[in-house]
Amino acid sequence: MYAEVIIPLALPKNYTWSIPPHMAEAAKPGVRVEVVLGRNKKYAGIIKKILTQKPESFEPKPILGVLDQQPIVHSEQLRFWEWMAGYYLCTEGEVMQAAVPANLKLSSESILVWNEDRSTDFSDLNDQEYIVAEALEIKKELRLNEVQQLLDASHVYPVIKKLIEKEVCYVWEELKEKYREKKETYILLHPQYHNEDQLADLLNNWSRAPKQMELLLAFLHLQKTAGEVIQSELLKKSGASAAQLKGLIDKKVLLAEKRNRDRIQRPPLQVELGFTLSPAQEKAFLDIQSALSGKPVCLLHGVTASGKTEIYTRLIEAQLESGKQVLYMLPEIALTAQMIRRLQQHFGGHIAIYHSRFNANERVEIWNKVNSGDIKIVLGARSALLLPFQNLGLIIADEEHDASYKQQDPAPRYHARDAAVYYASLFGAKVLLGSATPSIESYFNAQQGKYGLVTLTERYGNAGLPAIELIDMRAFGSRGKTALSPPLLTSIADSLSKEKQVILFQNRRGYAPYLICNTCGWIPQCKNCDVTLTYHKIKNKLTCHYCGTSYPVIQTCAACGSHDFTRKNFGTEQIEELLTEAFPNARIARMDYDSVRGKHDHDALIKQFEEQRLDILVGTQMVVKGLDFAHVNLVGIIDADGILGFTDFRVNEKAYQLMEQVSGRAGRKDEEGRVLIQVSNPAHPVLGFVKQHNYPALYQFETANRQQFHYPPYTRLIQLTCKHREKHIAEEAANLLIQGLKKDFGTALSGPAQPVVDRIRNQYLWEILIKLDKSVGKAQQCKRQIQQQTLIIQSNKRYRAVTIVADVDPL
């Protein structure tokens, strides 16, 4: 018996290990096994399939141990991983690395083992080597951290390397289980006092130790209100000491008991909708059910604030009644905080959140509960798609147009919306895509009849769509000098006077996107990337938003020696500062990557705004995506030119989606909202579509252009990027790649060319774009050629260090 095992490495193909006879029963697909690859490097892999045929070309090593009694993934996940690796041009090991929580992959720890054949003559060793060798002779084994303590140094690899070369020791790898169940001490009433009369007698005749009496009363109160009493919570709420608690335990009044406790507490299980759909929502709900009975995917195109979430809730309820699991995907972690509160009101503990902000142990617990079927509904960002569902009935991809569904780095570079369609097919499940501004590709599939299409054209409660006004910034001085125009400031003041809230959108974080020398025009750039540095006033640093490197603020021009610098353009920090100056009594907050980094920061800020403890919220794309605030009547878009000016064939689509989505935050309840867009080119055609809230017109405009220039949805794209520290070597590799692909795909190739930012983290970039027609098998043929050509190029010593990144369906 042999096993094909996936290990979390980017191996070209899965390796095969032999199964020792005594492990034959325990070894089955989906369980983790301990294996050795190379000389002695250990990994925790997952069995993909059991084989009876021995590999012809090599002698397989034996599996060292089976780590699980039950599979941690099911056959559907293993098939999904295989499909992802093939479609997105990566390896199954990379998919496993992305999917499985870190604490289930285990870690290999190096142990130095004394060589018993070595003489105790240490005369050939230097001082540091002698110290380690002497300790090894006594202890026989040393862990890496023990060597570091002995030498009082963190960098000990040169010493270890010398000791191995001199045959003082050898290295052994040991796998460490990192996940630990959380233990808590629970406090219980001693069984003899379960009788109410005996408990009353105890309390009435208590004569000494008044502090213990107070602690006992606090315990009884907590037991009545919370049900179970945890020692740490009891001591905190009662203000008592551990010694006083021990006194009650010694007197056999209370008992202490160690138990496992979930790290993420869930409310009681319940299903309680508590709302009625409007006639328009009811029609949409029935139309979706009808569409999904005939097609695997349906697109719900509903305007902002049309009540799509209530429709999703009804669909989830139907799946729960049939015993199925549901995945509800959102593009941003920020959205899950507000949505979980709404859905827990209806589904209680049936629902759980999953995303990358959870710590490693929390992710393991959710993984195991989804795997066992204990959790029925998962709300999460794109990584939730990789959970081991066992009985999936429905996937909802809300805000399906959002680019955050696409993973960029590292591999697998998958699009969660598109991958969800295949994943659902493995279960016979259905997929519902929802958006007020669908992606061109999804709407095209619906128009072609591949997906069902349901439209919802009116807002819930008959609220009107917000009125959109353009502010021509040319009337207020040269571009870039004025962040907040007088009409916008007047409108903000008017909203505040009515005790309404305001959202301002600026898609640049930091204080100023760049500094420029007024004498010679020199602009500070990152040393590792060919990009300007953003000034962050709060940190008083210049920061590269590509590699994250920070620099002190430059006072002297490197080119001419001048000290005269100007801060150009406006980031969210500067907008917040200008608002504070203009409205000193207003409560203002900022929502961007810099201000909401913690696990609960998003939720805390959203709660403050929901509860009207803030008046103005300034933010980047985080404020655009699906958040629901009842008291916002004004939305301002600070710099529409910046959104419309990107060099990207999707620029019009993305600009429309951003502006329409951010405008959708206004006037969601009873009062009509207003949207003010500051722009220097008010004649841009996209602004006309936004003013009219006319998505079909944008779709017609975009598809006509894309068909003419052979872009999606009429073609498939694959982007290849060659990276190397030497510019000319990256260029040479890109040209070789073009030459290798030219024979079969010559007309489909564009490039190689340098991107706008052509150096990131000291790696020069050269890009190739492949536009493939949608004929059957064409994409698969091209992917095979790409893999072959990559191997050929990297087999040449000159290009071995070149990284070739394939991005299928790039955004």
Side-chain angles (χ1 to χ4, degrees), residues 342-591:
R342 294 175 65 177
L343 292 178
Q344 277 183 342
Q345 292 173 3
H346 306 306
F347 301 114
H350 287 296
I351 189 166
I353 302 183
Y354 187 83
H355 54 62
S356 58
R357 290 275 172 91
F358 283 122
N359 69 41
N361 283 325
E362 289 170 339
R363 295 176 82 174
V364 170
E365 290 188 1
I366 298 168
W367 178 280
N368 289 337
K369 284 183 168 61
V370 172
N371 184 27
S372 66
D374 184 30
I375 288 175
K376 296 296 184 188
I377 311 162
V378 175
L379 176 70
R382 63 173 179 263
S383 59
L385 183 68
L386 302 171
L387 286 168
F389 293 93
Q390 61 165 221
N391 190 19
L392 192 60
L394 176 67
I395 297 176
I396 298 168
D398 198 11
E399 311 294 347
E400 64 83 29
H401 65 276
D402 200 289
S404 296
Y405 278 125
K406 179 82 160 96
Q407 163 77 6
Q408 299 300 337
D409 280 311
R413 295 170 182 85
Y414 66 102
H415 197 301
R417 177 200 65 209
D418 300 342
V421 175
Y422 179 80
Y423 191 40
S425 71
L426 298 174
F427 295 88
K430 304 295 183 180
V431 178
L432 177 62
L433 311 177
S435 178
T437 54
S439 66
I440 298 291
E441 288 88 343
S442 294
Y443 202 75
F444 178 82
N445 284 332
Q447 293 292 323
Q448 297 295 307
K450 185 178 178 181
Y451 297 170
L453 177 63
V454 175
T455 55
L456 197 54
T457 56
E458 64 180 53
R459 282 186 151 189
Y460 185 77
N462 294 317
L465 287 167
I468 294 178
E469 304 165 31
L470 303 182
I471 299 173
D472 189 344
M473 295 301 285
R474 293 173 298 184
F476 305 103
S478 60
R479 188 175 179 272
K481 291 276 181 75
T482 309
L484 303 173
S485 63
L488 180 58
L489 289 169
T490 302
S491 299
I492 293 170
D494 183 54
S495 290
L496 295 178
S497 69
K498 295 175 181 175
E499 297 186 347
K500 294 292 182 179
Q501 292 173 297
V502 178
I503 290 177
L504 295 180
F505 170 65
Q506 170 65 340
N507 210 22
R508 288 178 182 272
R509 59 190 177 95
Y511 189 86
Y514 63 96
L515 306 182
I516 186 168
C517 172
N518 289 326
T519 305
C520 70
W522 178 76
I523 299 172
Q525 289 200 321
C526 178
K527 292 174 182 175
N528 307 313
C529 312
D530 281 340
V531 69
T532 57
L533 297 170
T534 300
Y535 173 56
H536 287 254
K537 190 173 183 179
I538 290 173
K539 301 179 198 168
N540 196 32
K541 295 278 187 186
L542 293 172
T543 303
C544 174
H545 286 175
Y546 281 79
C547 69
T549 306
S550 290
Y551 303 83
V553 176
I554 291 169
Q555 308 294 345
T556 304
C557 176
C560 71
S562 169
H563 304 297
D564 186 15
F565 282 90
T566 297
R567 296 164 186 158
K568 285 286 187 178
N569 221 314
F570 307 93
T572 48
E573 275 186 27
Q574 190 171 171
I575 303 298
E576 183 183 24
E577 183 182 278
L578 292 170
L579 287 167
T580 304
E581 291 171 5
F583 306 102
N585 297 321
R587 297 162 298 174
I588 302 164
R590 181 166 48 90
M591 189 181 194

Side-chain angles (χ1 to χ4, degrees), residues 2 12 42 82 98 134 147-148 192 201 357 360 375 408 460 491 556 626 647 671 708 771-772 802:
Y2 303 90
K42 290 185 179 180
E82 183 178 358
E134 192 177 43
V147 178
Q148 289 170 331
Q192 67 179 327
D201 185 53
R357 290 275 172 91
I375 288 175
Q408 299 300 337
Y460 185 77
S491 299
T556 304
T647 52
E671 186 178 332
Q708 181 183 354
K771 296 178 186 176
L772 299 168
V802 174

